[in-house]
Amino acid sequence: MADYKAPLRDMQFTWFELFNYEQHLQSLPKYADTSKDIVEAILEENAKFAENVLAPLNQSGDAEGCTWSESGVTTPTGFKEAYQQFVEAGWPSLSCEEAYGGQALPESLGLTLSEMVGTANWSWGMYPGLSHGAKNTIEEHGSEDQKQTFLTKLVSGEWTGTMCLTESHCGTDLGMLRTKAEPNADGSYNISGTKIFISAGEHDMADNIVHIVLARLPEAPMGTKGISLFIVPKFNVATDGSVADRNAVSCGSLEHKMGIHGNATCVMNFDGAKGFLIGEENRGLNCMFTFMNTARLGTALQGVAHAELGFQKSLDYARDRLQMRALSGPKNPEGPADPIIVHPDVRRMLLTQKAFAEGGRMMVSYCGKIVDVINGGDDAAAKEADQQLAFLTPIAKAFLTEVGFESANLGMQCFGGHGFISEWGAEQNVRDCRISMLYEGTTGIQALDLLGRKVLGSQGEAMKPFTKEVHKFCQANEGQPMATALAAANKRWGELTMDIGMKAMNNAEEVGAASVDYLMFSGYVTLGYFWALAANKAQEAIDAGKGDLEFYQAKVQTAEFYFARILPRIETLATTMTSGADNLLAMDADHFAF
Amino acid sequence: MADYKAPLRDMQFTWFELFNYEQHLQSLPKYADTSKDIVEAILEENAKFAENVLAPLNQSGDAEGCTWSESGVTTPTGFKEAYQQFVEAGWPSLSCEEAYGGQALPESLGLTLSEMVGTANWSWGMYPGLSHGAKNTIEEHGSEDQKQTFLTKLVSGEWTGTMCLTESHCGTDLGMLRTKAEPNADGSYNISGTKIFISAGEHDMADNIVHIVLARLPEAPMGTKGISLFIVPKFNVATDGSVADRNAVSCGSLEHKMGIHGNATCVMNFDGAKGFLIGEENRGLNCMFTFMNTARLGTALQGVAHAELGFQKSLDYARDRLQMRALSGPKNPEGPADPIIVHPDVRRMLLTQKAFAEGGRMMVSYCGKIVDVINGGDDAAAKEADQQLAFLTPIAKAFLTEVGFESANLGMQCFGGHGFISEWGAEQNVRDCRISMLYEGTTGIQALDLLGRKVLGSQGEAMKPFTKEVHKFCQANEGQPMATALAAANKRWGELTMDIGMKAMNNAEEVGAASVDYLMFSGYVTLGYFWALAANKAQEAIDAGKGDLEFYQAKVQTAEFYFARILPRIETLATTMTSGADNLLAMDADHFAF
């Protein structure tokens, strides 16, 4: 059994058949010469790297974990060598600007590559993944000098990056942060404070680490309006751009945690470390928000990754494992028992994973196209796209990680008792997945962002471009069962939004009381749209006798499964989200337990 | 923060206020002299042991785990000493027959004690927990000689027991098992084969281990009708009852697994080990079934345990952790932020855990009363009770472990990123809980047992005593909102059963296609009944001015939360369970992935 097989056929379907990737790229000045051939060659090459280099290190990396010592952090055996190969192949520079050594390929393609890397080995993928945030920040807000010094090295992959936000007393509530930045005479700053949960904060895979750090200047205003953003390198950089002496930043310890053991989650101590201001003073949080959507899409991918990996593992097992007979009589009469894939409930678990993995891939790819439009060189289109992305991102992040975790658990469940045993990798997949609902803003935070900030904050305007697109599709396919169900769900979505909006005018707490159910409802409808689209495309191909019949039939069948067994979850959610805040707020905080 | 605080007030409420425990015990000849004072004293004493001895070993036991060596398995530091205290206090003998050294206290009380032990430290609790199955088997099916030799030592706790069923190629499908038993001239048997996943199979806590082993006699019929049951002690027993030489059974290795690290999950090698037949030849599986219900109730408790522990941990954290302000304005204006318990979504997560922990406690206690009736000395009542228990057990086992796992995850989610870090214990609670949906029959297996074997197998008769009780309650409380909702759910339950039963007459696969949704539906309605009961009792106490007002109000509020936010899950389940088998069976097994 292979550790991981990249779902290239499905990726091709999603990009080229469903989302007209060629036309999409040709329509954007920046990506117009990225041909189908180029994309396919890149996908295939990356698949090989993910399958052959990264996947074999996934279980061993979990078992071995990272090791802390005074002199630094050692990553699991093979991680460093894999990173060297990754850099040599030029993967880090793929979607970066050419001016700084990048290949200027579309971000959408980068997301698909990240899916393969992350599914093969999520812990490993976080090392280059974290660089992404640092790159984006410097690219967007850094000075030309900072770009030449730091960005070029991040783009080449010689150095990696981190994002240092969280402190022990504040994660969500960054306004409370205490790390200090004191100005030096030479224009640099001395950074002092302790950051926690810093992924890839210290390791042995690259020559230098570029920390992007949130800190307060002396006399800065209280709260989020007094936060500035700094570059703090692990090693100071000489004027010729080479690595010089060690800066006063170090990893104090590694966190013991549930999963992603191959990634170093560091407590980082800044003891008057030399740093450089990015952007304006006290505007640090705004700088961060500009790339937050992309970072959250990266986490949405984690839901897809663990759904896909769990699906692959449990599908192999369900085809091989012989246990009991089908209720309607033996399907493998010569064998001692039937393979468990004959049992309807095992199929329910497999199809749920498949629907979320392939559906999530559609959702992230759709968002990826929007990112391309934002970066693609057409400013008017970019502005509109930016709003669309702002609306879809919290849905993609929270919904896909929630259903990704459900999928990972169902994958494990298919193994019966063997699922609990480390050997099969199914339990690691659950442990690794669990963080995705927590970091980059918990599900609860995404839900407040969606319902409070985006939807109600815009009087519902933010959702309209998407719900109109769904509405158009339903109209164009009137009478089709899926379109009918989708149209009803889409309509209900709007009504529920109105309903909660009205309630919230009397009591702001109604937003928080409805938000997570609202987000999940939004997710199921959104995914329903993509599955209906996919079923249509697949049916067209079948009708046109395009070949690959089995693939297209499976698409239609998965869509039918989704509409019959998954989309109806919105019924309950519609009820619970409108049940009001009272049933949550009535109880005195002191009376929850006696 | 305490590691665990036994919810004694809630246990008192459940037993004495809700389920009239005194009258219940007095009505059964065997338990008539178990007074309220005795019960309360036992609960308090056990709570102290769980809180002070076991809970402090929970996290350290997880971190340290068990260690294998040629000479045996070493349990985590402190486990052995805690077991000595447990034995010295007489806890193992509590609900055993007096003839073999037991105290003949009701099994229902034993369940409540097991909840405390298991919530404090599930891994530790499995060592005496596994003895339970061995005790029951020998008590029910062993010869007098076997009882004197083995049962007395299990009752005193000097020795512990195991259940050796699973082999690597068969867990659910025990008909395929291969372990052999060859008769010796002296009436004993030589047992040869390998068993896996043997909890507490080898350890250093007791002088001897009594394995109950399923094996095949030579020429035994194929399948489940050719399985016999044997006692195989770790050490042979001398005629005076003392431990003699080592038997040919040993632990080959320990499994690496997701959680319950403090418990030894063993591969057990039987190399011609000396064993003794229990009951009749080839009737081994029937012998096992007689105590399966009790064993499964023990696992149902695990759902309650992890819901309770997750609730306690996350409640403490939610009261302490300051982060952000309430949407309706500061609730802690002097502090830097509000405690997160002000946020409605955090309350949703806390109340969900509370509703499942306290609701699950009601469900298991209700089942415990039925067990008492079975054992209580009235044969006619026992027969009826046996059928009731057979119906409720798969619901309790699968539903409570599923919602227990949901609760454990919500508990972890309340911690934000800190939940992923081992230090807080929330992630251990999730890992430890995960096994409960797998062992003692997966959720899928319980669901087939419930819908196929119990409900449809009896043409619906099996569910009637319970649904009638619910119906009566609803009639007696007509007009009350909860009773109205419950009556509708109860009615729908019956209709859905009919509907699936009709479909299943044409296609047996319809049973498997509906079964898990049907089981979860059954669980939500059953729990709805207990919450409605609890709300009624609490309201009576409030109306009567009985004092303890805050406790009773919280009960009513939790019930209201349950009916508003949890019970509506049956809406979706009703839709999906009746969507038919086709959406699961249509796809060819070879077309799930390309």
Side-chain angles (χ1 to χ4, degrees):
Chain A
M1 195 196 309
D3 295 303
Y4 168 60
K5 191 173 167 301
L8 287 173
R9 178 66 188 93
D10 198 61
M11 289 169 169
Q12 261 172 343
F13 172 79
T14 303
W15 276 134
F16 294 109
E17 301 182 59
L18 194 65
F19 289 141
N20 307 314
Y21 202 41
E22 279 181 283
Q23 295 91 311
H24 163 71
L25 295 176
Q26 279 161 22
S27 74
L28 297 167
K30 198 166 156 191
Y31 309 125
D33 51 1
T34 308
S35 70
K36 187 176 178 188
D37 287 350
I38 291 176
V39 170
E40 286 185 332
I42 290 174
L43 290 178
E44 274 165 38
E45 206 52 43
N46 196 264
K48 278 186 218 158
F49 180 72
E51 290 170 358
N52 302 330
V53 179
L54 297 181
L57 300 174
N58 192 32
Q59 277 188 256
S60 59
D62 176 65
E64 188 180 344
C66 295
T67 317
W68 181 93
S69 77
E70 282 283 352
S71 59
V73 169
T74 309
T75 53
T77 307
F79 271 40
K80 187 174 171 172
E81 292 73 18
Y83 187 73
Q84 275 165 349
Q85 287 188 47
F86 186 75
V87 170
E88 281 159 21
W91 293 116
S93 64
L94 206 90
S95 54
C96 299
E97 299 230 15
E98 283 172 312
Y100 305 101
Q103 301 175 55
L105 284 159
E107 191 83 34
S108 54
L109 182 59
L111 284 169
T112 302
L113 304 186
S114 293
E115 186 202 315
M116 288 192 263
V117 166
T119 310
N121 192 329
W122 190 265
S123 292
W124 187 92
M126 287 177 73
Y127 293 100
L130 265 291
S131 294
H132 207 74
K135 272 188 266 189
N136 284 355
T137 311
I138 300 176
E139 194 169 305
E140 190 102 8
H141 303 287
S143 66
E144 187 52 35
D145 187 43
Q146 289 171 343
K147 288 181 189 177
Q148 291 301 342
T149 308
F150 299 105
L151 183 58
T152 52
K153 295 292 170 64
L154 290 167
V155 168
S156 70
E158 288 166 88
W159 301 352
T160 67
T162 75
M163 304 301 309
C164 298
L165 287 68
T166 304
E167 300 180 6
S168 66
H169 64 289
C170 68
T172 299
D173 201 350
L174 288 171
M176 291 163 76
L177 71 82
R178 294 179 192 144
T179 297
K180 280 186 228 164
E182 287 170 304
N184 296 320
D186 64 356
S188 70
Y189 295 81
N190 277 353
I191 312 291
S192 302
T194 300
K195 297 285 181 179
I196 65 165
F197 299 167
I198 307 309
S199 298
E202 171 60 19
H203 59 78
D204 55 359
M205 285 161 63
D207 296 337
N208 202 359
I209 301 176
V210 181
H211 303 288
I212 307 291
V213 184
L214 289 183
R216 283 185 184 289
L217 293 167
E219 319 294 330
M222 298 277 287
T224 53
K225 288 177 181 163
I227 298 174
S228 305
L229 199 58
F230 299 87
I231 296 174
V232 183
K234 173 180 171 183
F235 288 97
N236 292 308
V237 181
T239 43
D240 67 352
S242 66
V243 163
D245 58 323
R246 185 68 192 252
N247 201 355
V249 47
S250 62
C251 172
S253 62
L254 293 176
E255 301 285 0
H256 296 276
K257 56 195 195 291
M258 187 184 202
I260 51 167
H261 290 157
N263 200 274
T265 305
C266 303
V267 175
M268 295 302 297
N269 298 321
F270 296 84
D271 302 311
K274 195 167 187 176
F276 309 96
L277 182 70
I278 315 179
E280 287 174 49
E281 290 186 359
N282 299 329
R283 300 280 295 165
L285 221 54
N286 302 58
C287 295
M288 302 229 36
F289 271 117
T290 55
F291 71 88
M292 206 67 120
N293 284 335
T294 340
R296 288 179 170 177
L297 274 191
T299 312
L301 266 185
Q302 190 172 359
V304 180
H306 295 296
E308 176 67 34
L309 191 63
F311 175 59
Q312 292 194 11
K313 285 181 185 291
S314 56
L315 176 60
D316 278 344
Y317 190 78
R319 283 168 169 164
D320 285 352
R321 175 77 171 176
L322 304 180
Q323 205 80 172
M324 309 300 282
R325 294 295 184 185
L327 291 177
S328 54
K331 306 296 176 228
N332 174 37
E334 305 79 32
D338 290 341
I340 62 171
I341 199 170
V342 306
H343 304 305
D345 191 59
V346 171
R347 289 170 157 256
R348 181 185 62 83
M349 296 193 282
L350 292 171
L351 286 166
T352 304
Q353 296 175 73
K354 182 177 168 72
F356 288 139
E358 296 177 6
R361 183 170 299 125
M362 293 191 264
M363 194 186 287
V364 173
S365 301
Y366 182 90
C367 293
K369 278 178 74 175
I370 303 177
V371 175
D372 290 346
V373 177
I374 296 172
N375 300 332
D378 176 340
D379 283 354
K383 204 186 156 193
E384 204 174 297
D386 205 47
Q387 286 169 354
Q388 249 192 302
L389 190 67
F391 169 68
L392 288 172
T393 298
I395 300 175
K397 195 279 179 186
F399 174 76
L400 290 182
T401 58
E402 291 283 340
V403 300
F405 185 65
E406 178 187 343
S407 300
N409 269 294
L410 289 175
M412 183 176 161
Q413 191 72 14
C414 289
F415 284 82
H418 293 270
F420 200 66
I421 306 303
S422 306
E423 175 185 357
W424 295 94
E427 64 86 26
Q428 181 193 343
N429 194 47
V430 171
R431 288 188 288 103
D432 287 351
C433 184
R434 185 63 184 83
I435 186 64
S436 64
M437 293 127 83
L438 296 166
Y439 60 14
E440 292 291 335
T442 62
T443 300
I445 293 300
Q446 303 297 331
L448 281 179
D449 180 47
L450 173 70
L451 180 59
R453 199 154 157 270
K454 307 282 169 67
V455 173
L456 298 181
S458 70
Q459 273 82 43
E461 286 304 313
M463 70 192 297
K464 282 191 183 156
F466 187 75
T467 53
K468 271 188 190 161
E469 183 177 326
V470 175
H471 180 67
K472 266 194 202 166
F473 170 84
C474 294
Q475 276 193 315
N477 295 281
E478 219 183 321
Q480 275 187 15
M482 286 185 209
T484 307
L486 184 61
N490 198 37
K491 184 161 172 276
R492 192 98 183 82
W493 195 8
E495 291 163 355
L496 289 163
T497 307
M498 289 280 287
D499 185 14
I500 299 164
M502 297 290 284
K503 276 190 192 160
M505 281 162 52
N506 292 321
N507 180 7
E509 301 292 358
E510 293 286 351
V511 177
S515 52
V516 168
D517 289 341
Y518 181 87
L519 182 139
M520 293 306 289
F521 186 104
S522 306
Y524 289 117
V525 180
T526 305
L527 210 63
Y529 170 56
F530 294 123
W531 271 115
L533 268 185
N536 262 21
K537 281 285 166 196
Q539 192 58 52
E540 277 173 27
I542 294 169
D543 294 344
K546 220 182 134 185
D548 227 354
L549 184 65
E550 294 164 351
F551 176 83
Y552 294 117
Q553 273 175 344
K555 273 285 168 218
V556 174
Q557 287 162 342
T558 309
E560 281 165 354
F561 166 82
Y562 184 85
F563 274 79
R565 299 242 171 203
I566 306 290
L567 187 63
R569 295 183 186 181
I570 62 173
E571 296 171 18
T572 292
L573 292 166
T575 303
T576 54
M577 84 170 82
T578 51
S579 69
D582 284 353
N583 58 51
L584 300 175
L585 296 177
M587 196 175 290
D588 192 290
D590 292 334
H591 301 165
F592 277 67
F594 291 87
Chain B
M1 195 196 308
D3 295 302
Y4 168 60
K5 192 172 167 301
L8 286 174
R9 177 67 188 92
D10 198 61
M11 289 169 169
Q12 261 172 342
F13 172 79
T14 303
W15 276 133
F16 294 109
E17 301 182 60
L18 194 65
F19 289 141
N20 306 312
Y21 202 40
E22 279 181 283
Q23 296 91 309
H24 162 71
L25 295 175
Q26 278 161 22
S27 74
L28 297 167
K30 197 166 157 193
Y31 308 125
D33 52 0
T34 308
S35 69
K36 187 176 178 187
D37 286 351
I38 290 177
V39 171
E40 287 184 332
I42 290 174
L43 290 178
E44 274 165 38
E45 206 52 42
N46 195 263
K48 278 186 218 158
F49 180 73
E51 290 169 359
N52 302 331
V53 179
L54 298 182
L57 300 174
N58 192 32
Q59 278 187 256
S60 58
D62 175 65
E64 189 181 342
C66 294
T67 316
W68 182 93
S69 77
E70 283 282 353
S71 59
V73 169
T74 309
T75 54
T77 307
F79 271 40
K80 186 175 173 172
E81 293 72 18
Y83 187 73
Q84 275 165 350
Q85 283 184 248
F86 186 75
V87 170
E88 280 160 21
W91 293 116
S93 64
L94 206 91
S95 53
C96 301
E97 299 230 15
E98 284 172 311
Y100 305 101
Q103 300 175 57
L105 284 158
E107 190 85 33
S108 55
L109 182 59
L111 283 168
T112 302
L113 304 185
S114 294
E115 185 202 316
M116 288 192 264
V117 166
T119 311
N121 192 328
W122 190 265
S123 291
W124 187 92
M126 287 177 72
Y127 293 101
L130 265 292
S131 295
H132 207 73
K135 272 187 265 190
N136 285 355
T137 311
I138 300 175
E139 194 168 304
E140 191 101 10
H141 302 288
S143 66
E144 186 52 36
D145 187 44
Q146 289 170 343
K147 289 181 189 177
Q148 291 301 341
T149 307
F150 299 105
L151 183 57
T152 52
K153 295 291 170 64
L154 290 167
V155 168
S156 71
E158 287 166 89
W159 301 352
T160 66
T162 75
M163 304 300 309
C164 298
L165 287 67
T166 304
E167 300 180 6
S168 65
H169 64 289
C170 69
T172 300
D173 201 350
L174 289 170
M176 290 164 75
L177 72 81
R178 294 180 193 144
T179 297
K180 281 186 227 164
E182 287 169 303
N184 296 319
D186 65 356
S188 70
Y189 295 80
N190 277 353
I191 312 292
S192 303
T194 300
K195 297 285 182 178
I196 66 165
F197 300 167
I198 307 309
S199 298
E202 171 61 20
H203 58 78
D204 55 358
M205 286 161 63
D207 297 335
N208 202 359
I209 301 176
V210 181
H211 303 289
I212 307 291
V213 184
L214 288 184
R216 282 186 185 287
L217 293 167
E219 319 294 330
M222 296 278 287
T224 54
K225 287 175 181 163
I227 298 173
S228 305
L229 200 58
F230 299 87
I231 297 174
V232 182
K234 173 179 170 183
F235 289 96
N236 292 308
V237 182
T239 43
D240 67 350
S242 65
V243 163
D245 58 323
R246 186 68 192 253
N247 201 355
V249 47
S250 62
C251 171
S253 63
L254 293 176
E255 301 285 0
H256 296 276
K257 57 195 196 289
M258 186 185 204
I260 53 168
H261 290 158
N263 199 274
T265 305
C266 302
V267 174
M268 297 301 297
N269 298 321
F270 295 85
D271 302 310
K274 195 169 185 174
F276 309 96
L277 182 70
I278 313 178
E280 287 173 48
E281 290 186 358
N282 299 330
R283 301 281 295 165
L285 220 55
N286 301 59
C287 294
M288 302 228 36
F289 271 117
T290 55
F291 72 87
M292 207 66 120
N293 284 334
T294 339
R296 288 179 170 177
L297 273 190
T299 312
L301 265 184
Q302 190 172 0
V304 180
H306 295 296
E308 176 67 34
L309 191 63
F311 175 58
Q312 292 194 12
K313 284 181 186 291
S314 56
L315 177 60
D316 279 344
Y317 190 79
R319 283 167 169 163
D320 285 351
R321 174 77 171 176
L322 305 179
Q323 205 81 172
M324 309 301 281
R325 294 295 185 186
L327 291 178
S328 54
K331 306 297 177 230
N332 174 37
E334 304 80 32
D338 291 340
I340 61 171
I341 199 170
V342 307
H343 305 305
D345 191 60
V346 171
R347 288 170 158 257
R348 181 185 62 82
M349 297 194 281
L350 292 171
L351 286 166
T352 304
Q353 296 176 72
K354 183 177 168 71
F356 288 139
E358 296 178 5
R361 183 169 299 124
M362 293 191 264
M363 194 187 287
V364 173
S365 301
Y366 182 91
C367 293
K369 279 179 73 174
I370 302 177
V371 176
D372 290 347
V373 177
I374 295 173
N375 300 332
D378 177 338
D379 284 354
K383 203 186 157 193
E384 204 173 296
D386 206 47
Q387 286 170 354
Q388 249 193 300
L389 190 67
F391 169 68
L392 288 171
T393 298
I395 300 175
K397 195 279 179 186
F399 174 75
L400 290 182
T401 57
E402 290 284 339
V403 299
F405 186 65
E406 177 187 344
S407 300
N409 269 295
L410 289 174
M412 183 176 160
Q413 191 72 14
C414 290
F415 284 81
H418 293 270
F420 200 66
I421 306 303
S422 306
E423 174 185 357
W424 296 94
E427 64 87 26
Q428 181 193 342
N429 195 47
V430 172
R431 287 187 289 103
D432 287 352
C433 184
R434 185 63 184 84
I435 186 63
S436 65
M437 293 127 84
L438 295 166
Y439 60 14
E440 291 292 334
T442 62
T443 300
I445 294 300
Q446 302 297 330
L448 281 179
D449 180 46
L450 174 70
L451 180 58
R453 200 154 157 268
K454 306 283 170 64
V455 173
L456 298 181
S458 70
Q459 271 82 43
E461 285 304 312
M463 71 191 297
K464 282 192 182 154
F466 188 74
T467 53
K468 272 188 188 160
E469 183 176 326
V470 175
H471 180 67
K472 266 194 202 166
F473 170 85
C474 295
Q475 276 192 315
N477 295 282
E478 218 183 321
Q480 275 187 15
M482 286 184 209
T484 306
L486 185 61
N490 199 36
K491 183 159 171 276
R492 191 98 183 81
W493 195 7
E495 292 162 355
L496 288 164
T497 307
M498 289 279 287
D499 186 14
I500 299 163
M502 297 290 283
K503 276 191 192 159
M505 281 162 52
N506 292 321
N507 180 7
E509 302 291 357
E510 293 286 350
V511 177
S515 52
V516 167
D517 288 342
Y518 181 86
L519 183 139
M520 294 305 289
F521 186 104
S522 306
Y524 289 117
V525 179
T526 305
L527 209 64
Y529 170 57
F530 295 123
W531 270 115
L533 267 184
N536 262 22
K537 280 286 166 194
Q539 192 57 52
E540 278 173 27
I542 293 168
D543 295 344
K546 221 183 133 186
D548 226 354
L549 184 66
E550 294 165 351
F551 176 84
Y552 294 117
Q553 273 174 343
K555 273 283 167 218
V556 174
Q557 289 162 341
T558 309
E560 281 165 352
F561 165 83
Y562 183 86
F563 274 78
R565 299 241 171 203
I566 306 290
L567 187 63
R569 295 182 186 183
I570 62 173
E571 296 170 19
T572 291
L573 292 167
T575 302
T576 53
M577 83 171 82
T578 52
S579 69
D582 285 353
N583 59 51
L584 300 176
L585 296 178
M587 196 176 289
D588 192 289
D590 291 335
H591 302 164
F592 277 67
F594 292 87

